[in-house]
Amino acid sequence: MRAMAVYQLKGGVGKTTTAVNLAALAARDKIPTLLWDLDPQGAASWILGIDKGHKQDGLWSSDEPISRYIQPSTVPRLDVLSADSSLRKFHQSLSGKKEARQRMAEALGRLAEDYGLIIIDCPPMITPQMEGVLRAVDRILIPVEPSVLSIRAYDQIKSQFDWAKKSQWLPFVTMIDRRKPAHLRWVNTELQNYPEVLRTFVAFSASAERMLELRSPIVEQQPAVPLARNYQALWKALKPKLNLR
């Protein structure tokens, strides 16, 4: 089993869109997949058809069986550990980085028998507890929009998480808007200063809004549109790096 967190300090960069579409593509490849929604907004859970579940703060503050928090999604072979507003107090449920890492590692160990891949949709925060979660996973996927604030946020977390191994760290460029000269200029001139960034790009697309209307991953409902093809290419690039068994 492999666990991959989708994380960015800056919100609004397509983190949740990435998580749900990659999870759907993994499930389509017959990999039993769990999307673990850690974002209090619960957008990933909602897109995958989950309207209500057990409050997840109980998972972090007690020893209840993790299975009671998991529900099937609308996509075959894809389950969801749903989020809710109780996760706003996530950082208060754990004493710090060490406890968060231990609790997440224990949970992932229990889930390993049932899933080949766990994708964690993380909230855009940088706390000791969040760092503990990231230290427990195998890979960290970071969407980087070619905008000043998103690049600044990426530089911050790259510096903060200098413990991450090269094989763990998987940044990629997302939400490229070819109508914006600044986006194209950064990709053509500045991206070379970030050799660790995957050279598979996800473009800005109105199809992301369509996905919200459909409450389903775009790769499921409209697999031929450019956004879906972008995510198919990203999954193709990521899959060998996950070393799935």
Side-chain angles (χ1 to χ4, degrees):
M1 188 275 290
R2 287 287 182 263
M4 178 173 71
V6 185
Y7 174 79
Q8 235 292 19
L9 181 56
K10 184 183 181 301
V13 296
K15 175 180 60 64
T16 294
T17 304
T18 297
V20 298
N21 280 287
L22 292 179
L25 288 167
R28 182 187 294 177
D29 276 355
K30 295 183 171 53
I31 299 168
T33 303
L34 174 70
L35 191 142
W36 188 333
D37 194 350
L38 266 183
D39 194 326
Q41 293 185 66
S45 306
W46 186 83
I47 291 169
L48 291 172
I50 308 300
D51 289 306
K52 189 175 181 181
H54 295 286
K55 288 190 174 183
Q56 200 183 134
D57 63 341
L59 175 62
W60 296 98
S61 58
S62 69
D63 294 319
E64 292 181 294
I66 196 169
S67 58
R68 75 186 299 264
Y69 295 89
I70 295 173
Q71 302 179 65
S73 77
T74 54
V75 179
R77 291 180 294 276
L78 174 56
D79 292 342
V80 180
L81 202 163
S82 63
D84 62 273
S85 60
S86 71
L87 284 170
R88 289 178 298 174
K89 298 180 180 180
F90 167 73
H91 63 284
Q92 299 174 12
S93 304
L94 302 164
S95 60
K97 182 191 316 181
K98 184 176 180 180
E99 185 183 3
R101 181 180 184 177
Q102 181 179 351
R103 292 294 294 266
M104 176 58 78
E106 289 173 352
L108 293 174
R110 293 197 297 271
L111 292 165
E113 293 184 7
D114 298 317
Y115 299 101
L117 177 64
I118 297 174
I119 295 178
I120 304 169
D121 186 22
C122 300
M125 63 169 61
I126 187 166
T127 63
Q129 291 80 3
M130 195 67 249
E131 183 174 347
V133 167
L134 296 175
R135 282 178 176 266
V137 302
D138 302 296
R139 303 288 186 270
I140 305 170
L141 184 67
I142 309 107
V144 183
E145 181 189 10
S147 67
V148 173
L149 290 179
S150 179
I151 296 162
R152 181 175 181 271
Y154 174 70
D155 288 337
Q156 284 181 280
I157 60 176
K158 183 180 177 182
S159 175
Q160 179 74 23
F161 303 149
D162 58 358
W163 45 263
K165 297 177 182 178
K166 184 178 179 180
S167 61
Q168 286 180 284
W169 197 251
L170 298 170
F172 73 100
V173 181
T174 187
M175 296 186 71
I176 299 175
D177 191 339
R178 299 185 185 279
R179 299 169 298 180
K180 295 182 177 181
H183 282 202
L184 298 178
R185 186 165 54 250
W186 186 83
V187 170
N188 292 328
T189 62
E190 300 298 323
L191 182 56
Q192 62 184 342
N193 298 321
Y194 297 87
E196 73 276 15
V197 175
L198 297 173
R199 276 8 185 208
T200 304
F201 304 145
V202 176
F204 173 83
S205 173
S207 296
E209 293 296 323
R210 179 63 175 156
M211 185 181 75
L212 298 178
E213 295 172 9
L214 296 168
R215 290 191 68 182
S216 181
I218 200 69
V219 296
E220 286 288 301
Q221 294 295 331
Q222 296 180 309
V225 301
L227 182 62
R229 294 201 301 269
N230 286 170
Y231 279 120
Q232 290 160 10
L234 180 61
W235 172 242
K236 184 177 180 180
L238 284 173
K239 193 175 177 182
K241 297 179 181 297
L242 294 173
N243 295 326
L244 294 165
R245 298 186 179 92

